[in-house]
Amino acid sequence: MNVCVLGTGYVGLVTAAGFADLGNHVIEVDVDQHKIEQLKRGEIPIFEPGLDTLVQRNHQAKRLRFTTEIAASIAQSDVVFITVGTPANFDGSADLSGVDRAADGILPHLRENAVVVMKSTVPVGTNRRLRERLAAHPTVHVLSNPEFLKEGAAVDDFARPDRIVIGIDPSDAYAKDVMQRLYHPLCLDRDRIVWMDPASAELTKQVANTMLAMRVSFMNEVAALCEKVGADIHSVRTGVGSDARIGPKFLYAGPGYGGSCFPKDVQALCFTAETHGVTLDLARVTHQVNLRQRGVLAEKLRQSLPTLKGARIALWGVAFKPKTDDIRESPALTLIETLLAEGATVVVHDPAAGEHAKLRFEGRVTVVDDAYDAPEGADALVLVTEWPEYRNPDFDRLRTALKRPVLIDGRNVWTADDARARGFTYQGIGQGGLTV
Ligand code: NAD
């Protein structure tokens, strides 16, 4: 099949390379000339495990091409995926200007019976809006196919999705057949496609993210309670998560959720609900709790040090989660801004996101290439992102490097008793209980 993917971000690039790897001919279009030039040279503009091999293999096999030329790309494509960004506006609503521009850009070039698929996360009603925008085309088919991949595991998520949600007009047998054929190779072991109407598909994506965010925010509140009552969040999580009705995932306390999805999707869902006269109290509070939680690491530093003014603070991790270079809405950003505002100096290490941190803070923080250079002479080390390489560090080396033996473990990956036995002042999140 001839496929065009608009947008070479985390979703677009994985989608394009994934479909190319299944034998389709895929054209990746982006408005960002620099990204397209990089991709043509075989460079991958983002860090995503396994993506470089996948892209290079399919690029070399000529099944995956990159261009900024929209007209010819759209004209030869049976299916057009829109994967452009949908960031939050100031009022929390989704900014759909990228989607609108993409729609206007493709309209004059769509071939007969082109299937246009919205993969970006969009508020309910966007499918209708897109149909209206493309209404001048007599035979276009407009579908919703929200993406559920996880950064850090996106390549595997493409190949083995939990489910493929497709929102479609029930009378559109042509588009249903096209999507079935396109996704058939991913459904050989079991049918993963969940068919529904477009509004339900749009809502499914935002509700899924909001529910995951809700679990995280609730556990962060429980962690604060643990610290007050002498309970341990590890134990509570294990006990609660072993209930088969609840399950163990997304129950980890930490410095608040981040990334380009949860924060904006929770807010966008609240906004959409309110425009329809419905108040989603749980979702609203989920967001508020998360904003509050972003302050937790700075507060633990204030408790552990005489003053932040003039202190040198080392951070391990700036990406919003491990195995990605994405720092959008990372809790590390809030922490760094707070530390700088209170007169501290900040030195950061991240295995993949260091360059993004340099660009974001424009010389206001020091970014180091070796993890152990960060704590050298620092008053405290804060673990913000639980990259595997931070999980079992050389504590003796850390003890020697740090000016004060202060460890703040924002992800509860180190063992409190162990760290304290080695002479560190250790604080995790919600670790008020006794080791049993
Ligand atoms: P991104 O910001 O990484 O990439 C978007 C890309 O689209 C950019 O390269 C941009 O230059 C390009 N673009 C913008 N307008 C364009 C146009 N008119 N034509 C062609 N290209 C254009 O975004 P992302 O993280 O890949 O997310 C894309 C969408 O997918 C968002 O709606 C997001 O919420 C959703 N989503 C993201 C993830 C994730 O983990 N990142 C997961 C699921 C869903």
Side-chain angles (χ1 to χ4, degrees):
M1 216 172 272
N2 292 324
V3 176
C4 178
V5 178
L6 292 184
T8 58
Y10 292 84
V11 170
L13 205 47
V14 171
T15 303
F19 279 125
D21 210 44
L22 297 174
N24 299 288
H25 287 273
V26 184
I27 312 180
E28 261 281 52
V29 181
D30 204 294
V31 288
D32 185 335
Q33 177 102 33
H34 177 63
K35 271 190 178 178
I36 294 297
E37 293 306 327
Q38 279 183 298
L39 286 160
K40 281 181 177 171
R41 289 195 300 269
E43 297 165 18
I44 311 299
I46 55 172
F47 174 77
E48 182 60 47
L51 187 59
D52 49 357
T53 319
L54 192 70
V55 168
Q56 282 151 9
R57 180 167 71 234
N58 286 284
H59 188 42
Q60 275 159 17
K62 298 193 171 21
R63 286 190 300 267
L64 181 59
R65 287 179 292 140
F66 305 102
T67 183
T68 53
E69 290 298 319
I70 194 149
S73 311
I74 297 297
Q76 59 192 271
S77 298
D78 308 303
V79 184
V80 178
F81 282 96
I82 298 178
T83 73
V84 305
T86 49
N89 285 315
F90 280 117
D91 60 4
S93 63
D95 176 356
L96 295 177
S97 56
V99 169
D100 289 345
R101 273 197 301 277
D104 295 345
I106 63 176
L107 177 59
H109 314 293
L110 288 167
R111 69 198 292 177
E112 196 184 343
N113 269 320
V115 176
V116 177
V117 185
M118 177 55 69
K119 215 170 216 332
S120 302
T121 304
V122 291
V124 61
T126 307
N127 181 279
R128 202 185 51 235
R129 176 190 176 116
L130 189 56
R131 271 166 207 267
E132 286 164 7
R133 233 165 162 106
L134 299 179
H137 190 286
T139 59
V140 69
H141 306 258
V142 182
L143 311 187
S144 296
N145 173 212
E147 180 54 59
F148 295 91
L149 63 76
K150 302 179 288 296
E151 285 178 26
V155 170
D156 198 48
D157 285 345
F158 177 87
R160 274 170 287 279
D162 289 339
R163 76 303 209 189
I164 298 158
V165 169
I166 301 183
I168 186 169
D169 181 335
S171 65
D172 195 343
Y174 175 85
K176 187 172 184 183
D177 177 58
V178 169
M179 294 306 275
Q180 238 154 0
R181 283 191 284 125
L182 190 61
Y183 276 116
H184 171 73
L186 303 181
C187 299
L188 295 177
D189 56 342
R190 66 179 169 88
D191 187 5
R192 292 159 196 262
I193 302 183
V194 185
W195 300 98
M196 57 184 75
D197 64 87
S200 302
E202 292 169 333
L203 211 48
T204 296
K205 172 63 193 177
Q206 286 186 331
V207 170
N209 275 0
T210 302
M211 193 165 288
L212 293 171
M214 214 175 266
R215 285 167 70 105
V216 174
S217 273
F218 181 51
M219 289 309 278
N220 283 334
E221 289 193 297
V222 172
L225 182 60
C226 283
E227 289 177 5
K228 295 285 183 202
V229 300
D232 181 58
I233 194 73
H234 277 306
S235 308
V236 176
R237 173 178 56 75
T238 312
V240 170
S242 56
D243 184 325
R245 294 169 303 177
I246 296 171
K249 294 187 177 170
F250 283 82
L251 295 181
Y252 288 84
Y257 58 77
S260 67
C261 294
F262 283 13
K264 81 169 169 63
D265 293 347
V266 172
Q267 289 180 80
L269 181 63
C270 293
F271 188 91
T272 302
E274 267 151 38
T275 59
H276 289 84
V278 176
T279 305
L280 298 182
D281 286 326
L282 288 174
R284 212 163 28 79
V285 173
T286 294
H287 175 61
Q288 285 162 2
V289 169
N290 195 54
L291 293 182
R292 191 173 69 213
Q293 192 68 11
R294 297 258 178 100
V296 78
L297 296 177
E299 186 50 33
K300 285 179 187 293
L301 281 167
R302 286 187 205 101
Q303 290 163 7
S304 306
L305 296 172
T307 174
L308 287 179
K309 195 171 167 60
R312 182 178 171 87
I313 309 296
L315 262 63
W316 271 2
V318 68
F320 85 95
K321 68 171 180 177
K323 299 188 186 172
T324 181
D325 61 349
D326 197 346
I327 65 168
R328 289 178 285 185
E329 291 278 335
S330 170
L333 305 185
T334 318
L335 173 61
I336 293 171
E337 291 294 2
T338 305
L339 294 174
L340 295 175
E342 295 190 27
T345 57
V346 179
V347 53
V348 168
H349 176 266
D350 189 287
E355 287 306 311
H356 289 304
K358 275 186 201 160
L359 284 173
R360 171 73 166 69
F361 290 100
E362 297 175 318
R364 293 187 296 139
V365 302
T366 305
V367 179
V368 293
D369 293 333
D370 185 319
Y372 287 89
D373 286 345
E376 199 61 53
D379 293 278
L381 171 63
V382 189
L383 187 144
V384 187
T385 316
E386 68 280 30
W387 282 90
E389 67 187 76
Y390 300 150
R391 291 185 192 189
N392 198 14
D394 182 341
F395 282 108
D396 292 336
R397 202 170 158 195
L398 285 181
R399 187 78 176 78
T400 313
L402 283 164
K403 193 163 84 191
R404 292 174 203 267
V406 174
L407 295 181
I408 307 291
D409 180 357
R411 301 289 178 173
N412 290 340
V413 298
W414 296 328
T415 307
D417 288 351
D418 189 29
R420 287 181 188 132
R422 290 165 184 271
F424 289 101
T425 303
Y426 172 91
Q427 284 202 68
I429 309 273
Q431 297 192 33
L434 302 172
T435 307
V436 179

